[in-house]
Amino acid sequence: MSSQLSNTVALGAGCYWGTEKYVKKDFQKLFPGSIKSATVGFMNPDPNGMKNPSYRQVCSGSTGHVEVLNVELNDPAKHYEELIKFFFRFHDPTTKNRQGNDAGTQYSSYVFCSDDEQKKIANKVVNELQGFMDSGKVKYNGKQVVTLVGDYTTYYEAQKEHQEYLENNPNGYCNHYIRVKEWPTK
């Protein structure tokens, strides 16, 4: 893999609390020390979108922002592709602008990539996943992956009480669960 691979990616997988929990806790169990930092916030696919939106504004669905986990990896050459595969294991990438009961553009399944190499890898994983779905090796609610892969734009960190929310509120709301126990082999 290219040594030019960026170490920062933003992942939208519905409610960012569950995304944070699964990446910071469960991905790190599989790959200890892989995450340098991870915070929840918002990103808009449109680089000219609204600046510095509030949580309430994003939740209205009118800003175009997606709830994301902004992840900084220690060794992207070793862990980026694994992270993208893991991302598809705990959320449903076949439901457009929705995860469970959460509906709206802010809950899009989205990979915001910092460079072309990240995009290439993310698209490869999406295509591989679609092949697994087509062959029946992986099942979700829908039949087509609708996850978008695009450019990393401006990241807006959410307020402090939203950081590590499920860690601080263990009975808090989360619609994520492990849907794919392990990544299939070809």
Side-chain angles (χ1 to χ4, degrees):
M1 242 181 253
S2 169
S3 62
Q4 299 302 311
L5 188 64
S6 173
N7 68 335
T8 304
V9 63
L11 302 173
C15 179
Y16 54 28
W17 296 335
T19 307
E20 179 183 45
K21 178 237 179 255
Y22 276 92
V23 171
K24 285 178 84 172
K25 189 174 180 184
D26 298 312
F27 183 74
Q28 288 247 88
K29 280 182 190 169
L30 297 172
F31 300 98
S34 57
I35 306 292
K36 183 175 183 179
S37 70
T39 58
V40 297
F42 318 106
M43 191 166 287
N44 194 322
D46 178 359
N48 299 313
M50 179 183 199
K51 306 297 181 218
N52 204 23
S54 69
Y55 178 70
R56 191 171 298 282
Q57 288 170 319
V58 171
C59 285
S60 76
S62 64
T63 69
H65 288 81
V66 177
E67 288 192 15
V68 297
L69 180 68
N70 195 60
V71 180
E72 201 177 347
L73 294 167
N74 280 315
D75 186 351
K78 192 172 180 182
H79 296 118
Y80 176 75
E81 185 170 345
E82 294 298 335
L83 176 62
I84 300 304
K85 289 177 180 178
F86 186 78
F87 165 75
F88 288 112
R89 292 177 51 203
F90 68 83
H91 86 286
D92 186 343
T94 68
T95 53
K96 185 174 181 177
N97 300 332
R98 164 177 231 106
Q99 286 297 306
N101 295 327
D102 297 331
T105 55
Q106 67 271 30
Y107 301 117
S108 296
S109 176
Y110 214 113
V111 181
F112 290 95
C113 301
S114 292
D115 59 44
D116 288 340
E117 186 66 19
Q118 279 191 353
K119 276 194 236 177
K120 181 178 159 189
I121 293 166
N123 281 313
K124 179 186 98 165
V125 172
V126 165
N127 291 332
E128 191 174 281
L129 178 61
Q130 186 62 57
F132 292 145
M133 289 170 56
D134 292 345
S135 70
K137 287 184 176 183
V138 173
K139 291 182 180 14
Y140 294 101
N141 287 325
K143 303 272 187 228
Q144 189 71 36
V145 175
V146 297
T147 302
L148 298 171
V149 174
D151 291 329
Y152 187 99
T153 60
T154 304
Y155 170 67
Y156 299 100
E157 189 170 316
Q159 64 259 38
K160 184 179 179 188
E161 59 269 17
H162 282 231
Q163 304 301 327
E164 298 183 339
Y165 183 83
L166 292 174
E167 184 73 26
N168 296 320
N169 300 278
N171 295 321
Y173 172 74
C174 179
N175 64 31
H176 293 316
Y177 59 91
I178 295 295
R179 290 165 163 85
V180 179
K181 297 236 185 284
E182 58 184 38
W183 197 256
T185 55
K186 292 181 182 182

